[in-house]
Amino acid sequence: MSPNLEGTLKSQVPALLLRRLFGAGARRDAPRPSPSPSPPPAGRRRVFVQTESGCVLGMDLDRGDNAHTVKRRLQLALNVPTGGTSLTFGDRVLENDLSSVRHDSPLLLTRNSIHRSCSTPCLCPVSEDFEQKDCGGLVEILGSSSGSVRRLVDDVAAGIMGGLDPVPIDSGLGGSYYFRNDEGDRVAIVKPTDEEPFAPNNPKGFTGRALGQPGLKKSVRVGETGFREVAAYLLDHENFANVPATALVKITHSVFNINRPMNGGTPAHDHKPQVTSKIASFQQFIAHDFDASDHGTSSFPVAAVHRIGILDIRIFNTDRHGGNVLVRKLDGGTGRFGCQTELFPIDHGLCLPENLEDPYFEWIHWAQASIPFSEEELEYISKLDPMRDAAMLRGELPMIREACLRVLILCTIFLKEAAAFGLCLAEIGEMMTREFRGMEEEPSKLEVVCMEARRKVDEWEPFSPSVEQGEDMDFQFSMDVLGGYSDVIRSPRFICSGLKGSFRNPLTKLVESMNEDGDDEEDRKSSDRFSSAEFSTPSLHRTTSSKTSSNSSMHAPNRSADEQLPSSLCFVRLSDMSAEEWHVFVEKFQELLKEALEECKAAAGQRMKQRLGTSCKF
């Protein structure tokens, strides 16, 4: 154990003892005689402020504190320059009043309209007395949590105090660590938000962006996969899909990676390990024999596949491959469904995107997905309440963006209607998945319904003068944190008659520009490819002009992180609607969905026969 960590642990022994005696919410300066976590004194809140470079400081706010005092404390404790910065809380920019910030909330300090290249240093300064100024425990849970999570937190803290260092995980693109209890058993997997792919402190070389900028998926921002992991767990009501217990935590240890120099000095890897605090997802470790990519799927229980698929549909999972379904072998068929294997879905950081895009459901190709839902599954689906789920997430994860909640609501409505209509899991997944034909990407059937619903919303609300003149309305993917990354998404203002009608105006393509300088003229040329024609489904070309291709090949080594990512296309945007427009959109969506479901059901019989075959054994 490093000397720095040993000194820190000694100073925090009382905190851990109080946590064990009085619950996870107790602290040294405010012990409570209650066995469960207690709320802070009236008007006082504990918050966790994170900089773009990943540094984290926990602090207690009094009723009179404001954004200026928070920045001042950061500057003194971490030596962070706070000029030209803003405090953000999910979608909200905190000008000065902090009354909307709840207890145990994470805040992000972002730079205002800074244009920084990938080579610009992103300092992660830590003062020598950092730990003395952050008086929190080794592991602090952000928000509420279940009893199982609190027990895991105590086990991990005991393991750290016992000198059992975490074990870095080599697989994956981001930084993740096995944490152990005092007996040396792996009990939790911790993924710091600033070590995600493209985040400042990624230990595997995938860096280049600040927290809050578009990430591996353009509709999921860097540093925001952690709360999505928690959201998937919270939405798995009654542990229906077997998602392991998950929470968002602030955790302190010297094992964590820091890429940038400390206080402008020599690189961090030339120093002895530095004790640092991180905001991270904290998930129960599941002992397993292999994952679904290492084994044939025919032995998987039908009910287990269905339950994972139901969750994936609701949260619009864009990354459900076999590697994030853990498989545990059981002797004598003693599992939940009397079978010899048990499935555990993990890695939900790329769910609930801010826009509809192309999801990935590997189970579409599994035979179990073509079996009709059972009565128990249909009853579970019928009882889902998307509005209640959205309200629950707003309460449990107040930093979640409203666009993510709209995706949840839309997909849950879609699942309920499709299941009630008699579609099986594979058919529902296919309706959400885009198709590639040649070099063109076509919107999914779900997106086509959304596009038509959006058109009806635009008809319901009169166009603004600029739109009536034929101009497109530009919306930035991020209002205040993208800086120099100019990924502009254009809102569709198209006119077509019904789902099978024809275009009178070309479909305006929603493009996330791959070129930082962007060329509006090139965008207009690209849109003109979609001339008026009989409508089957609109498609987007992935091809570019020979000039663009040539330039890309010439300057490939010097491209930014944005340019190196594959293009992410968006056919319809949900986040730019007002609350009233969103209400109308949902109504129109439900009306149009019935017609789309009838068309899908009519063509489903032959596909099911081809998919099932005769050799599958369950």
Side-chain angles (χ1 to χ4, degrees), residues 46-51 56-59 61 70 87-92 94 100-109 140-143 193 211 223-224 226-227 230 248-250 278-280 395-401:
R46 175 80 169 166
V47 299
F48 304 90
V49 188
Q50 187 176 36
T51 68
V56 178
L57 180 68
M59 63 177 72
L61 297 183
V70 170
L87 275 178
T88 61
F89 181 45
D91 288 320
R92 286 163 281 181
L94 304 174
S100 63
V101 178
R102 306 227 315 264
H103 180 62
D104 282 342
S105 293
L107 309 180
L108 180 63
L109 183 75
E140 294 184 79
I141 301 174
L142 278 64
T193 58
L211 301 180
E224 296 189 1
F227 73 71
V230 181
L248 201 64
V249 301
K250 192 209 78 171
K278 303 245 182 165
I279 290 178
E396 297 290 340
L397 301 170
M399 76 294 293
I400 194 169
R401 299 179 186 275

Side-chain angles (χ1 to χ4, degrees), residues 28 70 152 175 287 290 314 324 358 387 548 555 579 585 593 597:
R28 285 178 294 182
V70 170
L152 281 175
F290 44 82
R314 293 169 60 203
N324 56 36
D358 193 25
M387 302 304 176
T548 304
H555 303 288
F585 174 87
L593 184 58
L597 292 173

Side-chain angles (χ1 to χ4, degrees), residues 520-535:
D520 291 339
E521 182 64 28
E522 193 68 27
D523 286 344
R524 285 193 292 271
K525 291 180 180 179
S526 182
S527 283
D528 290 342
R529 294 172 185 163
F530 307 104
S531 57
S532 299
E534 192 66 24
F535 176 56

Side-chain angles (χ1 to χ4, degrees), residues 333-352:
T334 58
R336 298 176 73 187
F337 312 108
C339 297
Q340 295 182 352
T341 56
E342 190 172 10
L343 307 184
F344 298 87
I346 60 170
D347 292 345
H348 297 102
L350 296 179
C351 71
L352 296 177

Side-chain angles (χ1 to χ4, degrees), residues 334-555:
T334 58
R336 298 176 73 187
F337 312 108
C339 297
Q340 295 182 352
T341 56
E342 190 172 10
L343 307 184
F344 298 87
I346 60 170
D347 292 345
H348 297 102
L350 296 179
C351 71
L352 296 177
E354 295 184 39
N355 295 302
L356 293 179
E357 53 176 77
D358 193 25
Y360 185 73
F361 307 134
E362 186 162 321
W363 43 254
I364 279 183
H365 309 293
W366 300 354
Q368 294 92 330
S370 295
I371 302 296
F373 290 120
S374 67
E375 290 299 324
E376 181 184 2
E377 292 159 356
L378 289 173
E379 182 181 2
Y380 179 87
I381 293 172
S382 68
K383 291 181 178 178
L384 293 173
D385 186 337
M387 302 304 176
R388 184 175 59 194
D389 286 342
M392 180 270 294
L393 289 185
R394 288 189 190 98
E396 297 290 340
L397 301 170
M399 76 294 293
I400 194 169
R401 299 179 186 275
E402 191 64 26
C404 305
L405 298 178
R406 289 183 174 183
V407 170
L408 169 67
I409 292 170
L410 195 71
C411 292
T412 305
I413 292 173
F414 173 65
L415 170 65
K416 290 169 67 70
E417 295 287 347
F421 203 80
L423 269 62
C424 67
L425 180 63
E427 292 166 343
I428 297 173
E430 287 173 352
M431 288 190 68
M432 301 177 71
T433 304
R434 295 176 180 176
E435 293 185 8
F436 287 87
R437 297 185 181 180
M439 295 299 294
E440 298 179 359
E441 182 176 8
E442 297 186 348
S444 66
K445 293 181 176 63
L446 173 63
E447 287 175 302
V448 171
V449 175
C450 290
M451 292 160 68
E452 176 66 3
R454 183 61 193 262
R455 183 190 69 84
K456 290 183 177 293
V457 171
D458 293 339
E459 288 181 345
W460 169 80
E461 181 184 33
F463 289 122
S464 65
S466 60
V467 176
E468 290 176 351
Q469 295 170 8
E471 298 180 2
D472 293 330
M473 296 182 66
D474 292 345
F475 295 93
Q476 287 286 351
F477 175 80
S478 171
M479 295 182 293
D480 56 338
V481 298
L482 288 186
Y485 297 96
S486 54
D487 292 339
V488 177
I489 300 180
R490 298 185 181 278
S491 175
R493 299 286 183 176
F494 54 89
I495 303 176
C496 61
S497 55
L499 292 176
K500 293 185 178 180
S502 59
F503 286 105
R504 296 198 297 271
N505 288 339
L507 171 67
T508 302
K509 182 174 66 171
L510 304 186
V511 180
E512 292 191 305
S513 175
M514 298 297 291
N515 193 328
E516 291 186 359
D517 294 329
D519 189 348
D520 291 339
E521 182 64 28
E522 193 68 27
D523 286 344
R524 285 193 292 271
K525 291 180 180 179
S526 182
S527 283
D528 290 342
R529 294 172 185 163
F530 307 104
S531 57
S532 299
E534 192 66 24
F535 176 56
S536 56
T537 53
S539 59
L540 294 186
H541 291 269
R542 281 200 182 272
T543 57
T544 55
S545 65
S546 58
K547 177 181 178 181
T548 304
S549 177
S550 174
N551 289 341
S552 297
S553 62
M554 288 174 58
H555 303 288

